[in-house]
mmCIF file with all atom_site columns, all heavy atoms in Angstrom:
data_model
loop_
_atom_site.group_PDB
_atom_site.id
_atom_site.type_symbol
_atom_site.label_atom_id
_atom_site.label_alt_id
_atom_site.label_comp_id
_atom_site.label_asym_id
_atom_site.label_entity_id
_atom_site.label_seq_id
_atom_site.pdbx_PDB_ins_code
_atom_site.Cartn_x
_atom_site.Cartn_y
_atom_site.Cartn_z
_atom_site.occupancy
_atom_site.B_iso_or_equiv
_atom_site.pdbx_formal_charge
_atom_site.auth_seq_id
_atom_site.auth_comp_id
_atom_site.auth_asym_id
_atom_site.auth_atom_id
_atom_site.pdbx_PDB_model_num
ATOM 1   N N   . LEU O 1 309 ? 15.314  -0.996 -21.620 1.00 45.00 ? 309 LEU O N   1
ATOM 2   C CA  . LEU O 1 309 ? 15.354  -1.600 -22.952 1.00 45.00 ? 309 LEU O CA  1
ATOM 3   C C   . LEU O 1 309 ? 13.966  -1.936 -23.477 1.00 45.00 ? 309 LEU O C   1
ATOM 4   O O   . LEU O 1 309 ? 13.815  -2.350 -24.621 1.00 45.00 ? 309 LEU O O   1
ATOM 5   C CB  . LEU O 1 309 ? 16.206  -2.873 -22.921 1.00 45.00 ? 309 LEU O CB  1
ATOM 6   C CG  . LEU O 1 309 ? 17.659  -2.677 -22.495 1.00 45.00 ? 309 LEU O CG  1
ATOM 7   C CD1 . LEU O 1 309 ? 18.377  -4.017 -22.476 1.00 45.00 ? 309 LEU O CD1 1
ATOM 8   C CD2 . LEU O 1 309 ? 18.375  -1.705 -23.431 1.00 45.00 ? 309 LEU O CD2 1
ATOM 9   N N   . ASP O 1 310 ? 12.953  -1.752 -22.629 1.00 45.00 ? 310 ASP O N   1
ATOM 10  C CA  . ASP O 1 310 ? 11.596  -2.151 -22.989 1.00 45.00 ? 310 ASP O CA  1
ATOM 11  C C   . ASP O 1 310 ? 10.821  -0.934 -23.470 1.00 45.00 ? 310 ASP O C   1
ATOM 12  O O   . ASP O 1 310 ? 10.096  -0.307 -22.726 1.00 45.00 ? 310 ASP O O   1
ATOM 13  C CB  . ASP O 1 310 ? 10.892  -2.799 -21.787 1.00 45.00 ? 310 ASP O CB  1
ATOM 14  C CG  . ASP O 1 310 ? 9.561   -3.405 -22.168 1.00 45.00 ? 310 ASP O CG  1
ATOM 15  O OD1 . ASP O 1 310 ? 9.235   -3.425 -23.366 1.00 45.00 ? 310 ASP O OD1 1
ATOM 16  O OD2 . ASP O 1 310 ? 8.844   -3.854 -21.262 1.00 45.00 ? 310 ASP O OD2 1
ATOM 17  N N   . LYS O 1 311 ? 10.971  -0.589 -24.735 1.00 44.00 ? 311 LYS O N   1
ATOM 18  C CA  . LYS O 1 311 ? 10.347  0.620  -25.266 1.00 44.00 ? 311 LYS O CA  1
ATOM 19  C C   . LYS O 1 311 ? 8.850   0.512  -25.467 1.00 44.00 ? 311 LYS O C   1
ATOM 20  O O   . LYS O 1 311 ? 8.156   1.511  -25.329 1.00 44.00 ? 311 LYS O O   1
ATOM 21  C CB  . LYS O 1 311 ? 11.012  0.998  -26.601 1.00 44.00 ? 311 LYS O CB  1
ATOM 22  C CG  . LYS O 1 311 ? 12.507  1.249  -26.487 1.00 44.00 ? 311 LYS O CG  1
ATOM 23  C CD  . LYS O 1 311 ? 12.830  2.344  -25.503 1.00 44.00 ? 311 LYS O CD  1
ATOM 24  C CE  . LYS O 1 311 ? 14.331  2.610  -25.429 1.00 44.00 ? 311 LYS O CE  1
ATOM 25  N NZ  . LYS O 1 311 ? 14.668  3.596  -24.411 1.00 44.00 ? 311 LYS O NZ  1
ATOM 26  N N   . PRO O 1 312 ? 8.266   -0.664 -25.818 1.00 42.00 ? 312 PRO O N   1
ATOM 27  C CA  . PRO O 1 312 ? 6.831   -0.708 -26.108 1.00 42.00 ? 312 PRO O CA  1
ATOM 28  C C   . PRO O 1 312 ? 5.926   -0.332 -24.944 1.00 42.00 ? 312 PRO O C   1
ATOM 29  O O   . PRO O 1 312 ? 4.747   -0.100 -25.149 1.00 42.00 ? 312 PRO O O   1
ATOM 30  C CB  . PRO O 1 312 ? 6.610   -2.170 -26.508 1.00 42.00 ? 312 PRO O CB  1
ATOM 31  C CG  . PRO O 1 312 ? 7.923   -2.634 -27.005 1.00 42.00 ? 312 PRO O CG  1
ATOM 32  C CD  . PRO O 1 312 ? 8.916   -1.931 -26.121 1.00 42.00 ? 312 PRO O CD  1
ATOM 33  N N   . ILE O 1 313 ? 6.464   -0.282 -23.719 1.00 38.00 ? 313 ILE O N   1
ATOM 34  C CA  . ILE O 1 313 ? 5.589   0.014  -22.592 1.00 38.00 ? 313 ILE O CA  1
ATOM 35  C C   . ILE O 1 313 ? 5.238   1.485  -22.488 1.00 38.00 ? 313 ILE O C   1
ATOM 36  O O   . ILE O 1 313 ? 4.408   1.867  -21.692 1.00 38.00 ? 313 ILE O O   1
ATOM 37  C CB  . ILE O 1 313 ? 6.238   -0.422 -21.260 1.00 38.00 ? 313 ILE O CB  1
ATOM 38  C CG1 . ILE O 1 313 ? 7.547   0.318  -21.036 1.00 38.00 ? 313 ILE O CG1 1
ATOM 39  C CG2 . ILE O 1 313 ? 6.427   -1.902 -21.220 1.00 38.00 ? 313 ILE O CG2 1
ATOM 40  C CD1 . ILE O 1 313 ? 8.205   -0.014 -19.726 1.00 38.00 ? 313 ILE O CD1 1
ATOM 41  N N   . ARG O 1 314 ? 5.849   2.329  -23.311 1.00 38.00 ? 314 ARG O N   1
ATOM 42  C CA  . ARG O 1 314 ? 5.514   3.745  -23.270 1.00 38.00 ? 314 ARG O CA  1
ATOM 43  C C   . ARG O 1 314 ? 4.101   3.984  -23.790 1.00 38.00 ? 314 ARG O C   1
ATOM 44  O O   . ARG O 1 314 ? 3.586   3.224  -24.587 1.00 38.00 ? 314 ARG O O   1
ATOM 45  C CB  . ARG O 1 314 ? 6.482   4.551  -24.133 1.00 38.00 ? 314 ARG O CB  1
ATOM 46  C CG  . ARG O 1 314 ? 7.903   4.645  -23.592 1.00 38.00 ? 314 ARG O CG  1
ATOM 47  C CD  . ARG O 1 314 ? 8.768   5.357  -24.612 1.00 38.00 ? 314 ARG O CD  1
ATOM 48  N NE  . ARG O 1 314 ? 10.116  5.549  -24.134 1.00 38.00 ? 314 ARG O NE  1
ATOM 49  C CZ  . ARG O 1 314 ? 10.509  6.610  -23.470 1.00 38.00 ? 314 ARG O CZ  1
ATOM 50  N NH1 . ARG O 1 314 ? 9.647   7.549  -23.188 1.00 38.00 ? 314 ARG O NH1 1
ATOM 51  N NH2 . ARG O 1 314 ? 11.750  6.728  -23.071 1.00 38.00 ? 314 ARG O NH2 1
ATOM 52  N N   . GLY O 1 315 ? 3.489   5.087  -23.366 1.00 38.00 ? 315 GLY O N   1
ATOM 53  C CA  . GLY O 1 315 ? 2.211   5.480  -23.939 1.00 38.00 ? 315 GLY O CA  1
ATOM 54  C C   . GLY O 1 315 ? 1.025   5.040  -23.138 1.00 38.00 ? 315 GLY O C   1
ATOM 55  O O   . GLY O 1 315 ? 1.130   4.303  -22.172 1.00 38.00 ? 315 GLY O O   1
ATOM 56  N N   . LEU O 1 316 ? -0.132  5.487  -23.568 1.00 37.00 ? 316 LEU O N   1
ATOM 57  C CA  . LEU O 1 316 ? -1.365  5.178  -22.869 1.00 37.00 ? 316 LEU O CA  1
ATOM 58  C C   . LEU O 1 316 ? -1.859  3.789  -23.178 1.00 37.00 ? 316 LEU O C   1
ATOM 59  O O   . LEU O 1 316 ? -1.588  3.244  -24.245 1.00 37.00 ? 316 LEU O O   1
ATOM 60  C CB  . LEU O 1 316 ? -2.448  6.196  -23.278 1.00 37.00 ? 316 LEU O CB  1
ATOM 61  C CG  . LEU O 1 316 ? -2.302  7.605  -22.702 1.00 37.00 ? 316 LEU O CG  1
ATOM 62  C CD1 . LEU O 1 316 ? -3.269  8.537  -23.407 1.00 37.00 ? 316 LEU O CD1 1
ATOM 63  C CD2 . LEU O 1 316 ? -2.574  7.607  -21.217 1.00 37.00 ? 316 LEU O CD2 1
ATOM 64  N N   . ILE O 1 317 ? -2.613  3.220  -22.258 1.00 38.00 ? 317 ILE O N   1
ATOM 65  C CA  . ILE O 1 317 ? -3.269  1.964  -22.531 1.00 38.00 ? 317 ILE O CA  1
ATOM 66  C C   . ILE O 1 317 ? -4.389  2.214  -23.519 1.00 38.00 ? 317 ILE O C   1
ATOM 67  O O   . ILE O 1 317 ? -4.945  3.300  -23.604 1.00 38.00 ? 317 ILE O O   1
ATOM 68  C CB  . ILE O 1 317 ? -3.818  1.340  -21.227 1.00 38.00 ? 317 ILE O CB  1
ATOM 69  C CG1 . ILE O 1 317 ? -4.683  2.327  -20.475 1.00 38.00 ? 317 ILE O CG1 1
ATOM 70  C CG2 . ILE O 1 317 ? -2.708  0.848  -20.359 1.00 38.00 ? 317 ILE O CG2 1
ATOM 71  C CD1 . ILE O 1 317 ? -5.216  1.790  -19.175 1.00 38.00 ? 317 ILE O CD1 1
ATOM 72  N N   . SER O 1 318 ? -4.705  1.207  -24.313 1.00 39.00 ? 318 SER O N   1
ATOM 73  C CA  . SER O 1 318 ? -5.686  1.403  -25.364 1.00 39.00 ? 318 SER O CA  1
ATOM 74  C C   . SER O 1 318 ? -6.509  0.154  -25.540 1.00 39.00 ? 318 SER O C   1
ATOM 75  O O   . SER O 1 318 ? -6.450  -0.771 -24.749 1.00 39.00 ? 318 SER O O   1
ATOM 76  C CB  . SER O 1 318 ? -4.965  1.765  -26.677 1.00 39.00 ? 318 SER O CB  1
ATOM 77  O OG  . SER O 1 318 ? -4.057  0.740  -27.042 1.00 39.00 ? 318 SER O OG  1
ATOM 78  N N   . GLY O 1 319 ? -7.249  0.099  -26.636 1.00 40.00 ? 319 GLY O N   1
ATOM 79  C CA  . GLY O 1 319 ? -8.031  -1.092 -26.910 1.00 40.00 ? 319 GLY O CA  1
ATOM 80  C C   . GLY O 1 319 ? -9.341  -1.072 -26.170 1.00 40.00 ? 319 GLY O C   1
ATOM 81  O O   . GLY O 1 319 ? -10.094 -0.109 -26.225 1.00 40.00 ? 319 GLY O O   1
ATOM 82  N N   . SER O 1 320 ? -9.621  -2.166 -25.426 1.00 45.00 ? 320 SER O N   1
ATOM 83  C CA  . SER O 1 320 ? -10.915 -2.312 -24.778 1.00 45.00 ? 320 SER O CA  1
ATOM 84  C C   . SER O 1 320 ? -11.020 -1.541 -23.463 1.00 45.00 ? 320 SER O C   1
ATOM 85  O O   . SER O 1 320 ? -12.070 -1.505 -22.868 1.00 45.00 ? 320 SER O O   1
ATOM 86  C CB  . SER O 1 320 ? -11.178 -3.802 -24.488 1.00 45.00 ? 320 SER O CB  1
ATOM 87  O OG  . SER O 1 320 ? -10.184 -4.311 -23.632 1.00 45.00 ? 320 SER O OG  1
ATOM 88  N N   . VAL O 1 321 ? -9.922  -0.929 -23.030 1.00 46.00 ? 321 VAL O N   1
ATOM 89  C CA  . VAL O 1 321 ? -9.952  -0.213 -21.760 1.00 46.00 ? 321 VAL O CA  1
ATOM 90  C C   . VAL O 1 321 ? -10.675 1.110  -21.946 1.00 46.00 ? 321 VAL O C   1
ATOM 91  O O   . VAL O 1 321 ? -10.395 1.850  -22.881 1.00 46.00 ? 321 VAL O O   1
ATOM 92  C CB  . VAL O 1 321 ? -8.518  0.033  -21.251 1.00 46.00 ? 321 VAL O CB  1
ATOM 93  C CG1 . VAL O 1 321 ? -8.551  0.804  -19.942 1.00 46.00 ? 321 VAL O CG1 1
ATOM 94  C CG2 . VAL O 1 321 ? -7.787  -1.283 -21.088 1.00 46.00 ? 321 VAL O CG2 1
ATOM 95  N N   . PRO O 1 322 ? -11.624 1.475  -21.085 1.00 47.00 ? 322 PRO O N   1
ATOM 96  C CA  . PRO O 1 322 ? -12.373 2.721  -21.239 1.00 47.00 ? 322 PRO O CA  1
ATOM 97  C C   . PRO O 1 322 ? -11.470 3.942  -21.162 1.00 47.00 ? 322 PRO O C   1
ATOM 98  O O   . PRO O 1 322 ? -10.394 3.917  -20.569 1.00 47.00 ? 322 PRO O O   1
ATOM 99  C CB  . PRO O 1 322 ? -13.346 2.698  -20.049 1.00 47.00 ? 322 PRO O CB  1
ATOM 100 C CG  . PRO O 1 322 ? -13.394 1.276  -19.618 1.00 47.00 ? 322 PRO O CG  1
ATOM 101 C CD  . PRO O 1 322 ? -12.054 0.691  -19.940 1.00 47.00 ? 322 PRO O CD  1
ATOM 102 N N   . ALA O 1 323 ? -11.910 5.030  -21.779 1.00 48.00 ? 323 ALA O N   1
ATOM 103 C CA  . ALA O 1 323 ? -11.177 6.294  -21.701 1.00 48.00 ? 323 ALA O CA  1
ATOM 104 C C   . ALA O 1 323 ? -11.163 6.795  -20.270 1.00 48.00 ? 323 ALA O C   1
ATOM 105 O O   . ALA O 1 323 ? -12.093 6.575  -19.504 1.00 48.00 ? 323 ALA O O   1
ATOM 106 C CB  . ALA O 1 323 ? -11.807 7.335  -22.617 1.00 48.00 ? 323 ALA O CB  1
ATOM 107 N N   . LEU O 1 324 ? -10.087 7.503  -19.909 1.00 50.00 ? 324 LEU O N   1
ATOM 108 C CA  . LEU O 1 324 ? -9.934  8.006  -18.556 1.00 50.00 ? 324 LEU O CA  1
ATOM 109 C C   . LEU O 1 324 ? -10.635 9.345  -18.379 1.00 50.00 ? 324 LEU O C   1
ATOM 110 O O   . LEU O 1 324 ? -10.852 10.093 -19.318 1.00 50.00 ? 324 LEU O O   1
ATOM 111 C CB  . LEU O 1 324 ? -8.447  8.178  -18.226 1.00 50.00 ? 324 LEU O CB  1
ATOM 112 C CG  . LEU O 1 324 ? -7.599  6.909  -18.235 1.00 50.00 ? 324 LEU O CG  1
ATOM 113 C CD1 . LEU O 1 324 ? -6.157  7.278  -17.959 1.00 50.00 ? 324 LEU O CD1 1
ATOM 114 C CD2 . LEU O 1 324 ? -8.091  5.908  -17.215 1.00 50.00 ? 324 LEU O CD2 1
ATOM 115 N N   . ASN O 1 325 ? -10.964 9.647  -17.112 1.00 45.00 ? 325 ASN O N   1
ATOM 116 C CA  . ASN O 1 325 ? -11.353 10.986 -16.688 1.00 45.00 ? 325 ASN O CA  1
ATOM 117 C C   . ASN O 1 325 ? -12.679 11.473 -17.270 1.00 45.00 ? 325 ASN O C   1
ATOM 118 O O   . ASN O 1 325 ? -12.826 12.626 -17.622 1.00 45.00 ? 325 ASN O O   1
ATOM 119 C CB  . ASN O 1 325 ? -10.235 11.987 -17.030 1.00 45.00 ? 325 ASN O CB  1
ATOM 120 C CG  . ASN O 1 325 ? -10.360 13.235 -16.191 1.00 45.00 ? 325 ASN O CG  1
ATOM 121 O OD1 . ASN O 1 325 ? -10.906 13.194 -15.101 1.00 45.00 ? 325 ASN O OD1 1
ATOM 122 N ND2 . ASN O 1 325 ? -9.854  14.338 -16.694 1.00 45.00 ? 325 ASN O ND2 1
ATOM 123 N N   . THR O 1 326 ? -13.667 10.582 -17.373 1.00 37.00 ? 326 THR O N   1
ATOM 124 C CA  . THR O 1 326 ? -14.994 11.003 -17.795 1.00 37.00 ? 326 THR O CA  1
ATOM 125 C C   . THR O 1 326 ? -16.045 10.242 -17.016 1.00 37.00 ? 326 THR O C   1
ATOM 126 O O   . THR O 1 326 ? -15.777 9.225  -16.408 1.00 37.00 ? 326 THR O O   1
ATOM 127 C CB  . THR O 1 326 ? -15.225 10.712 -19.297 1.00 37.00 ? 326 THR O CB  1
ATOM 128 O OG1 . THR O 1 326 ? -15.043 9.313  -19.530 1.00 37.00 ? 326 THR O OG1 1
ATOM 129 C CG2 . THR O 1 326 ? -14.269 11.486 -20.174 1.00 37.00 ? 326 THR O CG2 1
ATOM 130 N N   . ASN O 1 327 ? -17.285 10.745 -17.066 1.00 41.00 ? 327 ASN O N   1
ATOM 131 C CA  . ASN O 1 327 ? -18.462 10.050 -16.535 1.00 41.00 ? 327 ASN O CA  1
ATOM 132 C C   . ASN O 1 327 ? -18.583 10.100 -15.014 1.00 41.00 ? 327 ASN O C   1
ATOM 133 O O   . ASN O 1 327 ? -17.686 10.542 -14.313 1.00 41.00 ? 327 ASN O O   1
ATOM 134 C CB  . ASN O 1 327 ? -18.509 8.612  -17.050 1.00 41.00 ? 327 ASN O CB  1
ATOM 135 C CG  . ASN O 1 327 ? -18.777 8.574  -18.546 1.00 41.00 ? 327 ASN O CG  1
ATOM 136 O OD1 . ASN O 1 327 ? -19.493 9.416  -19.085 1.00 41.00 ? 327 ASN O OD1 1
ATOM 137 N ND2 . ASN O 1 327 ? -18.183 7.616  -19.215 1.00 41.00 ? 327 ASN O ND2 1
#
Side-chain angles (χ1 to χ4, degrees):
L309 300 179
D310 188 6
K311 301 302 182 184
I313 61 177
R314 290 175 177 270
L316 287 169
I317 53 182
S318 59
S320 61
V321 179
L324 297 177
N325 201 26
T326 58
N327 292 326

